[in-house]
Amino acid sequence: GAVVSQHPSWVICKSGTSVKIECRSLDFQATTMFWYRQFPKQSLMLMATSNEGSKATYEQGVEKDKFLINHASLTLSTLTVTSAHPEDSSFYICSATHPGAPYEQYFGPGTRLTVT
Amino acid sequence: EDQVTQSPEALRLQEGESSSLNCSYTVSGLRGLFWYRQDPGKGPEFLFTLYSAGEEKEKERLKATLTKKESFLHITAPKPEDSATYLCAVQARGGGATNKLIFGTGTLLAVQP
């Protein structure tokens, strides 16, 4: 149980375009979903916390107009990187909390974004 | 400020050579400490949650322990398939319902046959 998927697993886009990443909890309804980014050989940095039906809470320094988060249902959250630039190239990972273990986060496999 | 420090940054072991990874933390009231394993190009895989000092948890060759200032991940008789980055994270009380995790930078473990 507690399986989280992401789609796509990797994406290449041109500078100035937007790209959407999906995060799904496959076998449970997620209480909360989180979005992280990870640069090579660095740890995970939390970008935002998302609850179904409400606005996401962004961490300090994260541009909410650039990284749009939509949490339309208890099993789906999306991250849209708008007007992407090469510096947005990174590994984006989502996680979800299971209602039976609200403090534990279960992570998706990640999405590698490359902006050319 | 809540902080997590992991050491060593990298560790190379021979197969069967037991060792420990360290996670030191400062947090304004610990709700939980979490250990994850991350393989290259993959998302973190949940290993353990520890909630109070003195607590221990085991899974196969791994054992996690917790004190008021640090946690250890003991690896007994490691195998090459244990090679990965091991991440430690803490969750503070008083953060409302956000359940936010603060991660350390990880220990890269390489086990040679």
Side-chain angles (χ1 to χ4, degrees):
Chain A
V3 178
V4 178
S5 71
Q6 280 183 244
H7 178 80
S9 55
W10 59 270
V11 57
I12 301 173
C13 70
K14 292 189 176 182
S15 187
T17 63
S18 296
V19 61
K20 181 185 285 188
I21 302 170
E22 291 187 350
C23 175
R24 293 181 186 273
S25 56
L26 296 185
D27 54 356
F28 66 101
Q29 293 186 326
T31 314
T32 305
M33 287 182 167
F34 302 82
W35 286 96
Y36 295 81
R37 64 188 298 182
Q38 185 176 34
F39 291 106
K41 298 191 177 181
Q42 293 188 26
S43 195
L44 282 76
M45 296 299 296
L46 180 65
M47 299 175 66
T49 302
S50 172
N51 290 288
E52 183 261 343
S54 61
K55 290 184 179 180
T57 301
Y58 290 81
E59 293 299 299
Q60 194 170 11
V62 177
E63 299 175 60
K64 58 182 67 177
D65 294 331
K66 181 168 186 62
F67 298 101
L68 300 179
I69 292 172
N70 183 275
H71 197 153
S73 76
L74 286 171
T75 59
L76 173 64
S77 176
T78 59
L79 169 68
T80 301
V81 183
T82 62
S83 187
H85 292 284
E87 56 266 31
D88 298 324
S89 298
S90 188
F91 193 50
Y92 291 86
I93 313 174
C94 72
S95 70
T97 55
H98 189 288
Y103 302 138
E104 295 171 1
Q105 292 184 26
Y106 296 91
F107 286 83
T111 297
R112 172 73 58 193
L113 170 64
T114 302
V115 185
T116 61
Chain B
E1 182 183 345
D2 300 335
Q3 200 166 8
V4 178
T5 304
Q6 290 187 247
S7 62
E9 288 186 11
L11 180 62
R12 183 169 297 191
L13 299 174
Q14 290 295 124
E15 184 172 1
E17 180 187 1
S18 301
S19 189
S20 296
L21 312 183
N22 177 264
C23 172
S24 298
Y25 64 91
T26 54
V27 65
S28 51
L30 180 71
R31 174 182 279 164
L33 185 141
F34 304 80
W35 282 98
Y36 288 88
R37 168 193 171 127
Q38 186 176 26
D39 292 300
K42 302 280 183 66
E45 174 190 345
F46 174 79
L47 293 174
F48 303 109
T49 309
L50 301 166
Y51 290 107
S52 57
E55 190 174 358
E56 298 182 352
K57 288 197 176 168
E58 285 188 68
K59 179 181 178 180
E60 297 180 355
R61 295 177 292 282
L62 300 176
K63 178 180 177 180
T65 62
L66 180 65
T67 72
K68 289 186 178 179
K69 294 183 180 180
E70 58 191 349
S71 176
F72 291 94
L73 184 66
H74 307 278
I75 304 177
T76 302
K79 298 181 178 181
E81 54 262 41
D82 295 322
S83 298
T85 295
Y86 290 85
L87 297 169
C88 171
V90 298
Q91 197 174 77
R93 295 183 189 276
T98 61
N99 297 336
K100 181 169 134 178
L101 290 177
I102 300 162
F103 278 90
T105 51
T107 293
L108 176 60
L109 174 66
V111 182
Q112 296 181 315

